[in-house]
Amino acid sequence: MTGTRKTVAALFLLPALVLLGALVVYPIGYSLVRSLYNADGSGFAGFDNYKAIFTDDGIRTALKNNVIWVVFAPTVSTALGLVFAVLTERVRWGTAFKLVVFMPMAISMLAAGIIFRLVYDQDPDKGVANAVWVGIHDTFAQSSAFPNAHPGRESPLRPDQGGFITKATVHTGRTVALPLVGVAPDQMPDGAKKAVAAKPDPGKITGTTWQDFTRGKGVGRLGAPDPSELGYSGMRIEAVRNGQVVASAKAAGDGTFTLPASADGALLRLPASNFKQPYNGVDWLGPSLVTPAIIGSYVWMWAGFAMVLIAAGLAGVPRELLEAARVDGATEWQVFRKVTVPLLAPVLAVVTVTLMINVLKVFDLVYIIAPGSSQDDANVLALELYRKGFSEGQPGIASAIAVFLLLLVIPVMLFNVRRLRREERR
């Protein structure tokens, strides 16, 4: 190459080199120098800022969470991408499925964070995750319809082990009134009907349990069913003698119930199961689950990326090798495990390493999804860098974290580059 051509090449490369120096080399150099000074930059701190990375509790939590992210997020995303790529190759609507799975990649991290902040909302009426979870739970363990019910004034009931029990014993041939308050009419069970006063039955104990909410002179009677009041449909009533349940019954739609003669002389108890609070789902964004929940949102976004790259690699796998394995008697699982996966190993390695680099820099999802009460538990190095540099006024430590992140990324990048070069030589 002549000197003229070298000069022309240098001129063409100059704008790129200037931008590279201004946007990459200079910030790295400045961060390295700044990491060796104290908070205000007036004194040389040596390696004190780097020592803080391993002694500060917040940074240590962030480092631990980064390890969890690096181990699980790329692995799960790559595994799902592999499964999707292999399965969609065999179905007619595979292209449409790939489009749907890949679509989250078109959403910014900010938008994805807002979406999953709503998905993980504690309120089942707002959060999709808890709406599904509560629906499954209530299918097998129905919640009580009367969580806020309690005795009113001049009530024959008193508290007992989370429920309520009569103050006096009951006897056959008499009726019992068990009025309660605290449940709004629109929250009563669908089977609730207008409450009626039970009629005495010789040899049995009858009674009514109902929502005794009517008040005021000339409007209704306290302690007796009125036409506008509803019975506690499905309320469980137990007859208790000497601490043992001797009989039980369930209230009808109008609140009436009947107990046998064996309940004579017993106390009537409305057990705590009648007043169990409704199941409110899982605290997805609580201290114990916030990191796995955020990793789930990351997988939702990046599994499509892994699937597309793996599907491209799968398209280049020689079909005769797969057919030969099947002819030799291999099952589909054996073909997948011993032929498909080894042939896709280079692609799987590139995808995994790329996601590992991406995961080390994760910031947006953690910052947006984790609420203030759990952000310390979900902390990662990139978020801690931001907090130290902009919220706590410690740019020295923030620069040390940035350099530390760079040191973590470099080996992964070198591994990726070396693998790509080996592939090119082949």
Side-chain angles (χ1 to χ4, degrees):
M1 182 179 289
T2 64
T4 304
R5 288 185 177 181
K6 289 182 179 179
T7 303
V8 173
L11 289 174
F12 276 104
L13 289 174
L14 184 60
L17 292 174
V18 170
L19 286 174
L20 187 65
L23 300 179
V24 177
V25 178
Y26 172 74
I28 291 175
Y30 181 81
S31 297
L32 181 59
V33 173
R34 189 65 183 83
S35 68
L36 301 175
Y37 285 82
N38 58 16
D40 58 7
S42 60
F44 186 74
F47 290 98
D48 290 346
N49 292 327
Y50 290 94
K51 291 179 182 177
I53 295 177
F54 303 99
T55 56
D56 184 276
D57 289 338
I59 302 177
R60 289 169 64 184
T61 300
L63 187 59
K64 180 194 72 174
N65 287 336
N66 262 100
V67 172
I68 295 173
W69 271 88
V70 168
V71 171
F72 289 101
T75 305
V76 175
S77 299
T78 304
L80 283 177
L82 175 61
V83 171
F84 291 156
V86 172
L87 293 181
T88 52
E89 199 181 35
R90 295 172 172 267
V91 295
R92 291 182 180 178
W93 40 269
T95 303
F97 181 82
K98 288 178 182 177
L99 179 64
V100 172
V101 175
F102 186 75
M103 214 184 307
M105 283 295 299
I107 302 174
S108 69
M109 286 282 196
L110 173 65
I114 294 172
I115 290 170
F116 275 88
R117 182 66 181 268
L118 296 173
V119 167
Y120 291 133
D121 195 287
Q122 180 69 45
D123 187 352
D125 293 330
K126 297 178 182 177
V128 175
N130 266 341
V132 174
W133 194 263
V134 169
I136 295 172
H137 174 274
D138 289 349
T139 300
F140 299 98
Q142 188 67 36
S143 299
S144 169
F146 323 112
N148 298 315
H150 60 276
R153 57 192 177 94
E154 302 178 20
S155 175
L157 296 166
R158 59 179 175 82
D160 177 73
Q161 299 178 5
F164 305 100
I165 196 168
T166 55
K167 299 174 182 176
T169 57
V170 297
H171 300 280
T172 56
R174 301 180 184 177
T175 60
V176 183
L178 302 178
L180 294 169
V181 297
V183 181
D186 60 346
Q187 299 296 319
M188 293 293 284
D190 294 336
K193 302 176 182 177
K194 291 183 178 180
V196 297
K199 296 180 180 179
D201 187 349
K204 295 182 179 180
I205 298 170
T206 58
T208 305
T209 178
W210 78 100
Q211 175 74 350
D212 188 23
F213 67 86
T214 305
R215 296 289 183 270
K217 185 176 180 181
V219 177
R221 297 168 296 163
L222 182 65
D226 295 314
S228 58
E229 297 172 344
L230 298 175
Y232 279 121
S233 175
M235 179 75 75
R236 182 176 175 81
I237 300 98
E238 297 176 344
V240 181
R241 185 187 298 116
N242 298 325
Q244 300 295 321
V245 177
V246 296
S248 64
K250 187 173 287 188
D254 57 7
T256 58
F257 60 89
T258 303
L259 291 165
S262 58
D264 184 63
L267 297 172
L268 296 191
R269 180 173 67 189
L270 304 179
S273 59
N274 290 316
F275 312 101
K276 184 172 60 176
Q277 290 292 328
Y279 182 65
N280 204 36
V282 177
D283 188 8
W284 298 104
L285 299 181
S288 58
L289 289 179
V290 63
T291 295
I294 300 173
I295 291 176
S297 67
Y298 179 89
V299 171
W300 175 77
M301 289 192 69
W302 287 88
F305 167 80
M307 178 194 65
V308 169
L309 292 187
I310 295 170
L314 191 61
V317 172
R319 299 299 160 181
E320 56 270 18
L321 295 178
L322 304 180
E323 294 302 326
R326 293 188 181 101
V327 170
D328 289 342
T331 63
E332 288 300 322
W333 170 246
Q334 289 174 325
V335 172
F336 173 76
R337 185 165 57 92
K338 295 185 177 182
V339 180
T340 305
V341 172
L343 289 174
L344 289 175
V347 178
L348 296 176
V350 170
V351 171
T352 303
V353 171
T354 302
L355 292 179
M356 287 174 65
I357 295 172
N358 184 270
V359 157
L360 285 171
K361 303 180 294 181
V362 69
F363 165 80
D364 319 57
L365 289 177
V366 180
Y367 183 72
I368 297 165
I369 296 177
S373 58
S374 301
Q375 201 169 83
D376 287 342
D377 301 282
N379 201 9
V380 290
L381 287 174
L383 177 59
E384 186 65 14
L385 185 157
Y386 169 81
R387 293 168 69 174
K388 292 294 185 186
F390 297 97
S391 300
E392 301 178 18
Q394 300 184 57
I397 296 179
S399 298
I401 296 174
V403 174
F404 182 67
L405 272 174
L406 178 64
L407 294 177
L408 292 177
V409 170
I410 286 176
V412 183
M413 291 179 63
L414 290 176
F415 174 81
N416 214 13
V417 170
R418 290 180 63 186
R419 176 171 286 277
L420 289 173
R421 286 179 176 174
R422 283 200 302 266
E423 291 298 318
E424 289 176 359
R425 285 197 294 268
R426 291 178 185 175

